[in-house]
Amino acid sequence: MPMPQMQIKFMKKLFLFFSLIIAFGCTSAQTQTFTPPSAMPQYHILNTDSVYVTPANLKKNKATMIIYFAPDCSHCQHLMYELKPQMTAFKNVQVVMITFVAQLKAIQVFYRDFDLKKYPNFIVGTEYPTYKVQQYYQVHTTPYIALYDKSGKLMKAWEKAPSADELAGEVKKI
């Protein structure tokens, strides 16, 4: 015996209603945003000269930018190409570039390729094998950038690479 038309329409509406509830539940679970902690992470990185560096090595009363990157990341490399002509805008900022990559040689090649030796305010190193900074910021993609003022308070963070102009503009505000 076939179902009456009224029941079929009701079942279709009920199915649509539950589908929307499920879809909404899935999308809202994926769009939760992460608010980075306001304090700078306590990192311990091995720099390109094979020396361990921590926040204690930073100069006091100076703004700091932490860039979590990967040497082979195309977005990270693009960011560095964009920053290159604007390096003077960052001369009063301590830039700490931290990676998860274990191979010190890859980090040294990145440091050399972008001629970062010319910029003593740039520190490049790996946090391997601890990944504490990656966990601290909950980094899912690189580059991840966090900008701190002179007192070490978080000013702004970017989960995706901003333009060099935007970074330079934020640095001027400090």
Side-chain angles (χ1 to χ4, degrees), residues 34 36-37 41-45 66-70 98-101 125-142 144 159:
F34 167 71
Q42 293 300 310
Y43 58 84
H44 186 255
I45 61 173
I66 294 181
I67 302 175
Y68 200 86
F69 79 108
I98 303 172
T99 186
F100 57 89
V101 173
T126 181
E127 70 166 342
Y128 173 84
T130 64
Y131 311 114
K132 287 184 179 182
V133 175
Q134 185 181 42
Q135 292 165 7
Y136 186 82
Y137 290 122
Q138 298 182 18
V139 175
H140 298 290
T141 59
T142 54
Y144 179 94
E159 290 185 26

PDB file of all heavy atoms in Angstrom, residues 34 36-37 41-45 66-70 98-101 125-142 144 159:
ATOM      1  N   PHE A  34      40.963  30.199  17.306  1.00  0.00           N
ATOM      2  CA  PHE A  34      41.960  30.106  18.361  1.00  0.00           C
ATOM      3  C   PHE A  34      42.428  31.512  18.705  1.00  0.00           C
ATOM      4  O   PHE A  34      42.777  32.289  17.835  1.00  0.00           O
ATOM      5  CB  PHE A  34      43.138  29.258  17.870  1.00  0.00           C
ATOM      6  CG  PHE A  34      44.348  29.349  18.750  1.00  0.00           C
ATOM      7  CD1 PHE A  34      44.351  28.766  20.005  1.00  0.00           C
ATOM      8  CD2 PHE A  34      45.476  30.027  18.330  1.00  0.00           C
ATOM      9  CE1 PHE A  34      45.471  28.857  20.821  1.00  0.00           C
ATOM     10  CE2 PHE A  34      46.596  30.113  19.135  1.00  0.00           C
ATOM     11  CZ  PHE A  34      46.589  29.518  20.382  1.00  0.00           C
ATOM     12  N   PRO A  36      45.358  33.400  20.439  1.00  0.00           N
ATOM     13  CA  PRO A  36      46.696  33.126  20.963  1.00  0.00           C
ATOM     14  C   PRO A  36      46.893  33.735  22.351  1.00  0.00           C
ATOM     15  O   PRO A  36      46.305  34.768  22.664  1.00  0.00           O
ATOM     16  CB  PRO A  36      47.635  33.769  19.941  1.00  0.00           C
ATOM     17  CG  PRO A  36      46.801  34.742  19.210  1.00  0.00           C
ATOM     18  CD  PRO A  36      45.384  34.288  19.296  1.00  0.00           C
ATOM     19  N   PRO A  37      47.711  33.099  23.174  1.00  0.00           N
ATOM     20  CA  PRO A  37      48.008  33.669  24.488  1.00  0.00           C
ATOM     21  C   PRO A  37      48.679  35.028  24.331  1.00  0.00           C
ATOM     22  O   PRO A  37      49.366  35.280  23.351  1.00  0.00           O
ATOM     23  CB  PRO A  37      48.974  32.655  25.108  1.00  0.00           C
ATOM     24  CG  PRO A  37      48.823  31.413  24.295  1.00  0.00           C
ATOM     25  CD  PRO A  37      48.384  31.842  22.936  1.00  0.00           C
ATOM     26  N   PRO A  41      55.882  32.957  23.884  1.00  0.00           N
ATOM     27  CA  PRO A  41      56.189  31.575  24.280  1.00  0.00           C
ATOM     28  C   PRO A  41      57.627  31.445  24.784  1.00  0.00           C
ATOM     29  O   PRO A  41      58.505  32.217  24.401  1.00  0.00           O
ATOM     30  CB  PRO A  41      56.004  30.794  22.981  1.00  0.00           C
ATOM     31  CG  PRO A  41      56.285  31.777  21.902  1.00  0.00           C
ATOM     32  CD  PRO A  41      55.774  33.096  22.437  1.00  0.00           C
ATOM     33  N   GLN A  42      57.840  30.479  25.627  1.00  0.00           N
ATOM     34  CA  GLN A  42      59.182  30.187  26.128  1.00  0.00           C
ATOM     35  C   GLN A  42      59.820  29.177  25.169  1.00  0.00           C
ATOM     36  O   GLN A  42      59.651  27.983  25.304  1.00  0.00           O
ATOM     37  CB  GLN A  42      59.114  29.626  27.555  1.00  0.00           C
ATOM     38  CG  GLN A  42      58.638  30.632  28.560  1.00  0.00           C
ATOM     39  CD  GLN A  42      59.558  31.851  28.628  1.00  0.00           C
ATOM     40  OE1 GLN A  42      60.778  31.721  28.748  1.00  0.00           O
ATOM     41  NE2 GLN A  42      58.973  33.032  28.520  1.00  0.00           N
ATOM     42  N   TYR A  43      60.524  29.679  24.177  1.00  0.00           N
ATOM     43  CA  TYR A  43      61.131  28.810  23.174  1.00  0.00           C
ATOM     44  C   TYR A  43      62.576  28.469  23.551  1.00  0.00           C
ATOM     45  O   TYR A  43      63.202  29.129  24.382  1.00  0.00           O
ATOM     46  CB  TYR A  43      61.067  29.449  21.783  1.00  0.00           C
ATOM     47  CG  TYR A  43      61.733  30.805  21.695  1.00  0.00           C
ATOM     48  CD1 TYR A  43      63.100  30.920  21.497  1.00  0.00           C
ATOM     49  CD2 TYR A  43      60.991  31.975  21.799  1.00  0.00           C
ATOM     50  CE1 TYR A  43      63.712  32.160  21.426  1.00  0.00           C
ATOM     51  CE2 TYR A  43      61.592  33.215  21.725  1.00  0.00           C
ATOM     52  CZ  TYR A  43      62.959  33.296  21.538  1.00  0.00           C
ATOM     53  OH  TYR A  43      63.564  34.523  21.472  1.00  0.00           O
ATOM     54  N   HIS A  44      63.076  27.423  22.918  1.00  0.00           N
ATOM     55  CA  HIS A  44      64.463  26.973  23.080  1.00  0.00           C
ATOM     56  C   HIS A  44      64.854  26.441  21.716  1.00  0.00           C
ATOM     57  O   HIS A  44      64.504  25.318  21.352  1.00  0.00           O
ATOM     58  CB  HIS A  44      64.524  25.879  24.160  1.00  0.00           C
ATOM     59  CG  HIS A  44      65.907  25.452  24.506  1.00  0.00           C
ATOM     60  ND1 HIS A  44      66.444  24.268  24.083  1.00  0.00           N
ATOM     61  CD2 HIS A  44      66.866  26.052  25.256  1.00  0.00           C
ATOM     62  CE1 HIS A  44      67.672  24.142  24.543  1.00  0.00           C
ATOM     63  NE2 HIS A  44      67.946  25.222  25.269  1.00  0.00           N
ATOM     64  N   ILE A  45      65.530  27.284  20.928  1.00  0.00           N
ATOM     65  CA  ILE A  45      65.813  26.908  19.540  1.00  0.00           C
ATOM     66  C   ILE A  45      67.319  26.801  19.291  1.00  0.00           C
ATOM     67  O   ILE A  45      68.124  27.467  19.952  1.00  0.00           O
ATOM     68  CB  ILE A  45      65.188  27.910  18.537  1.00  0.00           C
ATOM     69  CG1 ILE A  45      65.743  29.325  18.715  1.00  0.00           C
ATOM     70  CG2 ILE A  45      63.674  27.888  18.636  1.00  0.00           C
ATOM     71  CD1 ILE A  45      65.293  30.321  17.643  1.00  0.00           C
ATOM     72  N   ILE A  66      57.585  36.934  16.071  1.00  0.00           N
ATOM     73  CA  ILE A  66      57.898  35.521  15.935  1.00  0.00           C
ATOM     74  C   ILE A  66      57.236  35.027  14.667  1.00  0.00           C
ATOM     75  O   ILE A  66      56.038  35.223  14.456  1.00  0.00           O
ATOM     76  CB  ILE A  66      57.419  34.720  17.165  1.00  0.00           C
ATOM     77  CG1 ILE A  66      58.220  35.167  18.393  1.00  0.00           C
ATOM     78  CG2 ILE A  66      57.555  33.215  16.919  1.00  0.00           C
ATOM     79  CD1 ILE A  66      57.892  34.464  19.668  1.00  0.00           C
ATOM     80  N   ILE A  67      58.038  34.405  13.814  1.00  0.00           N
ATOM     81  CA  ILE A  67      57.527  33.822  12.577  1.00  0.00           C
ATOM     82  C   ILE A  67      57.780  32.321  12.648  1.00  0.00           C
ATOM     83  O   ILE A  67      58.925  31.885  12.690  1.00  0.00           O
ATOM     84  CB  ILE A  67      58.214  34.413  11.324  1.00  0.00           C
ATOM     85  CG1 ILE A  67      58.032  35.930  11.272  1.00  0.00           C
ATOM     86  CG2 ILE A  67      57.685  33.742  10.059  1.00  0.00           C
ATOM     87  CD1 ILE A  67      58.766  36.621  10.132  1.00  0.00           C
ATOM     88  N   TYR A  68      56.696  31.554  12.710  1.00  0.00           N
ATOM     89  CA  TYR A  68      56.824  30.100  12.688  1.00  0.00           C
ATOM     90  C   TYR A  68      56.757  29.695  11.225  1.00  0.00           C
ATOM     91  O   TYR A  68      55.774  29.991  10.537  1.00  0.00           O
ATOM     92  CB  TYR A  68      55.701  29.444  13.505  1.00  0.00           C
ATOM     93  CG  TYR A  68      56.060  28.042  13.912  1.00  0.00           C
ATOM     94  CD1 TYR A  68      56.794  27.809  15.062  1.00  0.00           C
ATOM     95  CD2 TYR A  68      55.703  26.958  13.135  1.00  0.00           C
ATOM     96  CE1 TYR A  68      57.162  26.528  15.433  1.00  0.00           C
ATOM     97  CE2 TYR A  68      56.057  25.676  13.498  1.00  0.00           C
ATOM     98  CZ  TYR A  68      56.787  25.463  14.648  1.00  0.00           C
ATOM     99  OH  TYR A  68      57.158  24.189  15.010  1.00  0.00           O
ATOM    100  N   PHE A  69      57.795  29.039  10.731  1.00  0.00           N
ATOM    101  CA  PHE A  69      57.910  28.806   9.298  1.00  0.00           C
ATOM    102  C   PHE A  69      58.476  27.421   8.999  1.00  0.00           C
ATOM    103  O   PHE A  69      58.877  26.690   9.905  1.00  0.00           O
ATOM    104  CB  PHE A  69      58.823  29.872   8.673  1.00  0.00           C
ATOM    105  CG  PHE A  69      60.296  29.594   8.885  1.00  0.00           C
ATOM    106  CD1 PHE A  69      61.090  29.184   7.822  1.00  0.00           C
ATOM    107  CD2 PHE A  69      60.884  29.733  10.134  1.00  0.00           C
ATOM    108  CE1 PHE A  69      62.443  28.910   8.010  1.00  0.00           C
ATOM    109  CE2 PHE A  69      62.230  29.473  10.327  1.00  0.00           C
ATOM    110  CZ  PHE A  69      63.017  29.053   9.260  1.00  0.00           C
ATOM    111  N   ALA A  70      58.513  27.101   7.722  1.00  0.00           N
ATOM    112  CA  ALA A  70      59.196  25.907   7.227  1.00  0.00           C
ATOM    113  C   ALA A  70      60.072  26.363   6.066  1.00  0.00           C
ATOM    114  O   ALA A  70      59.613  27.117   5.208  1.00  0.00           O
ATOM    115  CB  ALA A  70      58.195  24.855   6.772  1.00  0.00           C
ATOM    116  N   ILE A  98      61.203  30.600  13.784  1.00  0.00           N
ATOM    117  CA  ILE A  98      61.290  29.275  14.402  1.00  0.00           C
ATOM    118  C   ILE A  98      60.650  28.246  13.479  1.00  0.00           C
ATOM    119  O   ILE A  98      59.561  28.467  12.955  1.00  0.00           O
ATOM    120  CB  ILE A  98      60.580  29.265  15.773  1.00  0.00           C
ATOM    121  CG1 ILE A  98      61.174  30.332  16.682  1.00  0.00           C
ATOM    122  CG2 ILE A  98      60.650  27.875  16.411  1.00  0.00           C
ATOM    123  CD1 ILE A  98      60.430  30.539  17.992  1.00  0.00           C
ATOM    124  N   THR A  99      61.323  27.120  13.330  1.00  0.00           N
ATOM    125  CA  THR A  99      60.790  26.043  12.507  1.00  0.00           C
ATOM    126  C   THR A  99      60.775  24.742  13.300  1.00  0.00           C
ATOM    127  O   THR A  99      61.448  24.617  14.324  1.00  0.00           O
ATOM    128  CB  THR A  99      61.603  25.860  11.211  1.00  0.00           C
ATOM    129  OG1 THR A  99      60.954  24.888  10.377  1.00  0.00           O
ATOM    130  CG2 THR A  99      63.031  25.414  11.484  1.00  0.00           C
ATOM    131  N   PHE A 100      60.030  23.792  12.797  1.00  0.00           N
ATOM    132  CA  PHE A 100      59.952  22.452  13.370  1.00  0.00           C
ATOM    133  C   PHE A 100      60.913  21.490  12.671  1.00  0.00           C
ATOM    134  O   PHE A 100      61.120  20.369  13.113  1.00  0.00           O
ATOM    135  CB  PHE A 100      58.521  21.908  13.247  1.00  0.00           C
ATOM    136  CG  PHE A 100      58.032  21.893  11.826  1.00  0.00           C
ATOM    137  CD1 PHE A 100      58.231  20.802  11.005  1.00  0.00           C
ATOM    138  CD2 PHE A 100      57.386  23.016  11.309  1.00  0.00           C
ATOM    139  CE1 PHE A 100      57.797  20.812   9.694  1.00  0.00           C
ATOM    140  CE2 PHE A 100      56.939  23.034   9.996  1.00  0.00           C
ATOM    141  CZ  PHE A 100      57.145  21.930   9.183  1.00  0.00           C
ATOM    142  N   VAL A 101      61.499  21.928  11.575  1.00  0.00           N
ATOM    143  CA  VAL A 101      62.352  21.086  10.740  1.00  0.00           C
ATOM    144  C   VAL A 101      63.601  20.669  11.509  1.00  0.00           C
ATOM    145  O   VAL A 101      64.265  21.498  12.140  1.00  0.00           O
ATOM    146  CB  VAL A 101      62.727  21.832   9.436  1.00  0.00           C
ATOM    147  CG1 VAL A 101      63.740  21.064   8.616  1.00  0.00           C
ATOM    148  CG2 VAL A 101      61.475  22.119   8.627  1.00  0.00           C
ATOM    149  N   GLY A 125      66.070  29.560  13.703  1.00  0.00           N
ATOM    150  CA  GLY A 125      66.446  28.295  14.325  1.00  0.00           C
ATOM    151  C   GLY A 125      65.315  27.290  14.375  1.00  0.00           C
ATOM    152  O   GLY A 125      64.184  27.582  14.003  1.00  0.00           O
ATOM    153  N   THR A 126      65.657  26.111  14.867  1.00  0.00           N
ATOM    154  CA  THR A 126      64.683  25.025  14.967  1.00  0.00           C
ATOM    155  C   THR A 126      64.380  24.688  16.422  1.00  0.00           C
ATOM    156  O   THR A 126      65.272  24.725  17.270  1.00  0.00           O
ATOM    157  CB  THR A 126      65.169  23.742  14.253  1.00  0.00           C
ATOM    158  OG1 THR A 126      64.150  22.743  14.372  1.00  0.00           O
ATOM    159  CG2 THR A 126      66.482  23.223  14.805  1.00  0.00           C
ATOM    160  N   GLU A 127      63.128  24.352  16.658  1.00  0.00           N
ATOM    161  CA  GLU A 127      62.731  23.924  17.990  1.00  0.00           C
ATOM    162  C   GLU A 127      62.661  22.399  18.074  1.00  0.00           C
ATOM    163  O   GLU A 127      62.276  21.853  19.093  1.00  0.00           O
ATOM    164  CB  GLU A 127      61.388  24.539  18.378  1.00  0.00           C
ATOM    165  CG  GLU A 127      60.203  24.007  17.610  1.00  0.00           C
ATOM    166  CD  GLU A 127      58.887  24.375  18.248  1.00  0.00           C
ATOM    167  OE1 GLU A 127      58.838  24.743  19.428  1.00  0.00           O
ATOM    168  OE2 GLU A 127      57.877  24.283  17.540  1.00  0.00           O
ATOM    169  N   TYR A 128      63.023  21.717  17.009  1.00  0.00           N
ATOM    170  CA  TYR A 128      63.004  20.256  16.996  1.00  0.00           C
ATOM    171  C   TYR A 128      63.792  19.725  18.185  1.00  0.00           C
ATOM    172  O   TYR A 128      64.852  20.261  18.485  1.00  0.00           O
ATOM    173  CB  TYR A 128      63.620  19.740  15.684  1.00  0.00           C
ATOM    174  CG  TYR A 128      63.799  18.246  15.647  1.00  0.00           C
ATOM    175  CD1 TYR A 128      62.739  17.428  15.277  1.00  0.00           C
ATOM    176  CD2 TYR A 128      65.005  17.665  15.996  1.00  0.00           C
ATOM    177  CE1 TYR A 128      62.894  16.059  15.261  1.00  0.00           C
ATOM    178  CE2 TYR A 128      65.166  16.293  15.982  1.00  0.00           C
ATOM    179  CZ  TYR A 128      64.107  15.496  15.619  1.00  0.00           C
ATOM    180  OH  TYR A 128      64.255  14.135  15.608  1.00  0.00           O
ATOM    181  N   PRO A 129      63.356  18.754  18.915  1.00  0.00           N
ATOM    182  CA  PRO A 129      62.198  17.883  18.754  1.00  0.00           C
ATOM    183  C   PRO A 129      61.031  18.221  19.688  1.00  0.00           C
ATOM    184  O   PRO A 129      60.130  17.420  19.845  1.00  0.00           O
ATOM    185  CB  PRO A 129      62.762  16.517  19.122  1.00  0.00           C
ATOM    186  CG  PRO A 129      63.718  16.819  20.245  1.00  0.00           C
ATOM    187  CD  PRO A 129      64.299  18.183  19.895  1.00  0.00           C
ATOM    188  N   THR A 130      61.026  19.400  20.287  1.00  0.00           N
ATOM    189  CA  THR A 130      60.013  19.691  21.316  1.00  0.00           C
ATOM    190  C   THR A 130      58.675  20.150  20.757  1.00  0.00           C
ATOM    191  O   THR A 130      57.633  19.814  21.308  1.00  0.00           O
ATOM    192  CB  THR A 130      60.513  20.771  22.294  1.00  0.00           C
ATOM    193  OG1 THR A 130      60.689  21.993  21.573  1.00  0.00           O
ATOM    194  CG2 THR A 130      61.800  20.347  22.964  1.00  0.00           C
ATOM    195  N   TYR A 131      58.684  20.970  19.714  1.00  0.00           N
ATOM    196  CA  TYR A 131      57.467  21.509  19.084  1.00  0.00           C
ATOM    197  C   TYR A 131      56.609  22.312  20.066  1.00  0.00           C
ATOM    198  O   TYR A 131      55.405  22.419  19.884  1.00  0.00           O
ATOM    199  CB  TYR A 131      56.627  20.402  18.431  1.00  0.00           C
ATOM    200  CG  TYR A 131      57.436  19.492  17.542  1.00  0.00           C
ATOM    201  CD1 TYR A 131      57.616  18.150  17.869  1.00  0.00           C
ATOM    202  CD2 TYR A 131      58.040  19.976  16.390  1.00  0.00           C
ATOM    203  CE1 TYR A 131      58.373  17.317  17.054  1.00  0.00           C
ATOM    204  CE2 TYR A 131      58.798  19.151  15.580  1.00  0.00           C
ATOM    205  CZ  TYR A 131      58.959  17.823  15.917  1.00  0.00           C
ATOM    206  OH  TYR A 131      59.706  17.009  15.112  1.00  0.00           O
ATOM    207  N   LYS A 132      57.229  22.887  21.084  1.00  0.00           N
ATOM    208  CA  LYS A 132      56.473  23.635  22.095  1.00  0.00           C
ATOM    209  C   LYS A 132      55.842  24.909  21.522  1.00  0.00           C
ATOM    210  O   LYS A 132      54.734  25.261  21.886  1.00  0.00           O
ATOM    211  CB  LYS A 132      57.369  23.971  23.291  1.00  0.00           C
ATOM    212  CG  LYS A 132      57.661  22.768  24.144  1.00  0.00           C
ATOM    213  CD  LYS A 132      58.472  23.133  25.364  1.00  0.00           C
ATOM    214  CE  LYS A 132      58.719  21.890  26.200  1.00  0.00           C
ATOM    215  NZ  LYS A 132      59.458  22.174  27.405  1.00  0.00           N
ATOM    216  N   VAL A 133      56.550  25.592  20.651  1.00  0.00           N
ATOM    217  CA  VAL A 133      56.007  26.821  20.056  1.00  0.00           C
ATOM    218  C   VAL A 133      54.858  26.468  19.117  1.00  0.00           C
ATOM    219  O   VAL A 133      53.824  27.139  19.112  1.00  0.00           O
ATOM    220  CB  VAL A 133      57.102  27.628  19.327  1.00  0.00           C
ATOM    221  CG1 VAL A 133      56.525  28.833  18.613  1.00  0.00           C
ATOM    222  CG2 VAL A 133      58.183  28.055  20.318  1.00  0.00           C
ATOM    223  N   GLN A 134      55.031  25.417  18.349  1.00  0.00           N
ATOM    224  CA  GLN A 134      53.967  24.966  17.453  1.00  0.00           C
ATOM    225  C   GLN A 134      52.704  24.644  18.262  1.00  0.00           C
ATOM    226  O   GLN A 134      51.599  25.026  17.885  1.00  0.00           O
ATOM    227  CB  GLN A 134      54.436  23.733  16.686  1.00  0.00           C
ATOM    228  CG  GLN A 134      53.454  23.252  15.645  1.00  0.00           C
ATOM    229  CD  GLN A 134      53.958  22.019  14.920  1.00  0.00           C
ATOM    230  OE1 GLN A 134      54.504  21.102  15.528  1.00  0.00           O
ATOM    231  NE2 GLN A 134      53.784  22.009  13.617  1.00  0.00           N
ATOM    232  N   GLN A 135      52.861  23.988  19.385  1.00  0.00           N
ATOM    233  CA  GLN A 135      51.720  23.660  20.242  1.00  0.00           C
ATOM    234  C   GLN A 135      51.173  24.918  20.924  1.00  0.00           C
ATOM    235  O   GLN A 135      49.962  25.066  21.073  1.00  0.00           O
ATOM    236  CB  GLN A 135      52.138  22.627  21.292  1.00  0.00           C
ATOM    237  CG  GLN A 135      52.457  21.280  20.687  1.00  0.00           C
ATOM    238  CD  GLN A 135      53.217  20.371  21.647  1.00  0.00           C
ATOM    239  OE1 GLN A 135      53.401  20.697  22.813  1.00  0.00           O
ATOM    240  NE2 GLN A 135      53.671  19.235  21.151  1.00  0.00           N
ATOM    241  N   TYR A 136      52.049  25.806  21.330  1.00  0.00           N
ATOM    242  CA  TYR A 136      51.651  27.030  22.024  1.00  0.00           C
ATOM    243  C   TYR A 136      50.699  27.854  21.179  1.00  0.00           C
ATOM    244  O   TYR A 136      49.692  28.355  21.655  1.00  0.00           O
ATOM    245  CB  TYR A 136      52.911  27.838  22.354  1.00  0.00           C
ATOM    246  CG  TYR A 136      52.675  29.064  23.191  1.00  0.00           C
ATOM    247  CD1 TYR A 136      52.545  28.981  24.563  1.00  0.00           C
ATOM    248  CD2 TYR A 136      52.632  30.330  22.606  1.00  0.00           C
ATOM    249  CE1 TYR A 136      52.359  30.113  25.347  1.00  0.00           C
ATOM    250  CE2 TYR A 136      52.440  31.465  23.376  1.00  0.00           C
ATOM    251  CZ  TYR A 136      52.303  31.351  24.750  1.00  0.00           C
ATOM    252  OH  TYR A 136      52.120  32.464  25.521  1.00  0.00           O
ATOM    253  N   TYR A 137      51.043  28.001  19.897  1.00  0.00           N
ATOM    254  CA  TYR A 137      50.210  28.785  18.975  1.00  0.00           C
ATOM    255  C   TYR A 137      49.170  27.934  18.244  1.00  0.00           C
ATOM    256  O   TYR A 137      48.380  28.469  17.472  1.00  0.00           O
ATOM    257  CB  TYR A 137      51.068  29.481  17.928  1.00  0.00           C
ATOM    258  CG  TYR A 137      51.921  30.611  18.449  1.00  0.00           C
ATOM    259  CD1 TYR A 137      53.297  30.589  18.290  1.00  0.00           C
ATOM    260  CD2 TYR A 137      51.353  31.713  19.083  1.00  0.00           C
ATOM    261  CE1 TYR A 137      54.089  31.641  18.736  1.00  0.00           C
ATOM    262  CE2 TYR A 137      52.134  32.755  19.538  1.00  0.00           C
ATOM    263  CZ  TYR A 137      53.499  32.713  19.362  1.00  0.00           C
ATOM    264  OH  TYR A 137      54.281  33.751  19.805  1.00  0.00           O
ATOM    265  N   GLN A 138      49.228  26.632  18.431  1.00  0.00           N
ATOM    266  CA  GLN A 138      48.366  25.706  17.694  1.00  0.00           C
ATOM    267  C   GLN A 138      48.508  25.926  16.185  1.00  0.00           C
ATOM    268  O   GLN A 138      47.528  26.109  15.459  1.00  0.00           O
ATOM    269  CB  GLN A 138      46.908  25.833  18.143  1.00  0.00           C
ATOM    270  CG  GLN A 138      46.707  25.479  19.593  1.00  0.00           C
ATOM    271  CD  GLN A 138      45.260  25.564  20.035  1.00  0.00           C
ATOM    272  OE1 GLN A 138      44.341  25.569  19.228  1.00  0.00           O
ATOM    273  NE2 GLN A 138      45.057  25.619  21.334  1.00  0.00           N
ATOM    274  N   VAL A 139      49.748  25.933  15.730  1.00  0.00           N
ATOM    275  CA  VAL A 139      50.049  26.192  14.320  1.00  0.00           C
ATOM    276  C   VAL A 139      49.616  25.003  13.461  1.00  0.00           C
ATOM    277  O   VAL A 139      49.988  23.868  13.736  1.00  0.00           O
ATOM    278  CB  VAL A 139      51.566  26.458  14.121  1.00  0.00           C
ATOM    279  CG1 VAL A 139      51.894  26.615  12.642  1.00  0.00           C
ATOM    280  CG2 VAL A 139      52.003  27.666  14.915  1.00  0.00           C
ATOM    281  N   HIS A 140      48.813  25.306  12.432  1.00  0.00           N
ATOM    282  CA  HIS A 140      48.370  24.295  11.482  1.00  0.00           C
ATOM    283  C   HIS A 140      48.972  24.542  10.105  1.00  0.00           C
ATOM    284  O   HIS A 140      49.119  23.612   9.324  1.00  0.00           O
ATOM    285  CB  HIS A 140      46.846  24.266  11.380  1.00  0.00           C
ATOM    286  CG  HIS A 140      46.191  23.917  12.682  1.00  0.00           C
ATOM    287  ND1 HIS A 140      46.254  22.663  13.237  1.00  0.00           N
ATOM    288  CD2 HIS A 140      45.495  24.664  13.563  1.00  0.00           C
ATOM    289  CE1 HIS A 140      45.609  22.644  14.382  1.00  0.00           C
ATOM    290  NE2 HIS A 140      45.140  23.853  14.611  1.00  0.00           N
ATOM    291  N   THR A 141      49.261  25.812   9.793  1.00  0.00           N
ATOM    292  CA  THR A 141      49.888  26.147   8.517  1.00  0.00           C
ATOM    293  C   THR A 141      50.977  27.181   8.763  1.00  0.00           C
ATOM    294  O   THR A 141      50.939  27.923   9.738  1.00  0.00           O
ATOM    295  CB  THR A 141      48.868  26.744   7.518  1.00  0.00           C
ATOM    296  OG1 THR A 141      48.290  27.929   8.082  1.00  0.00           O
ATOM    297  CG2 THR A 141      47.779  25.758   7.183  1.00  0.00           C
ATOM    298  N   THR A 142      51.936  27.202   7.861  1.00  0.00           N
ATOM    299  CA  THR A 142      53.011  28.188   7.958  1.00  0.00           C
ATOM    300  C   THR A 142      52.906  29.142   6.786  1.00  0.00           C
ATOM    301  O   THR A 142      52.401  28.766   5.737  1.00  0.00           O
ATOM    302  CB  THR A 142      54.393  27.497   7.956  1.00  0.00           C
ATOM    303  OG1 THR A 142      54.491  26.648   6.806  1.00  0.00           O
ATOM    304  CG2 THR A 142      54.613  26.692   9.219  1.00  0.00           C
ATOM    305  N   TYR A 144      53.136  31.289  10.409  1.00  0.00           N
ATOM    306  CA  TYR A 144      52.306  31.830  11.488  1.00  0.00           C
ATOM    307  C   TYR A 144      53.128  32.968  12.080  1.00  0.00           C
ATOM    308  O   TYR A 144      54.317  32.794  12.354  1.00  0.00           O
ATOM    309  CB  TYR A 144      52.032  30.764  12.555  1.00  0.00           C
ATOM    310  CG  TYR A 144      51.183  31.308  13.693  1.00  0.00           C
ATOM    311  CD1 TYR A 144      49.811  31.160  13.679  1.00  0.00           C
ATOM    312  CD2 TYR A 144      51.766  31.999  14.759  1.00  0.00           C
ATOM    313  CE1 TYR A 144      49.022  31.663  14.709  1.00  0.00           C
ATOM    314  CE2 TYR A 144      50.980  32.508  15.787  1.00  0.00           C
ATOM    315  CZ  TYR A 144      49.618  32.336  15.757  1.00  0.00           C
ATOM    316  OH  TYR A 144      48.842  32.837  16.762  1.00  0.00           O
ATOM    317  N   GLU A 159      47.392  33.842  11.271  1.00  0.00           N
ATOM    318  CA  GLU A 159      47.465  32.405  11.020  1.00  0.00           C
ATOM    319  C   GLU A 159      47.867  32.116   9.575  1.00  0.00           C
ATOM    320  O   GLU A 159      48.285  31.017   9.261  1.00  0.00           O
ATOM    321  CB  GLU A 159      46.134  31.737  11.341  1.00  0.00           C
ATOM    322  CG  GLU A 159      45.858  31.712  12.826  1.00  0.00           C
ATOM    323  CD  GLU A 159      44.598  30.953  13.178  1.00  0.00           C
ATOM    324  OE1 GLU A 159      44.198  30.053  12.420  1.00  0.00           O
ATOM    325  OE2 GLU A 159      44.017  31.264  14.224  1.00  0.00           O
TER     326      GLU A 159
END
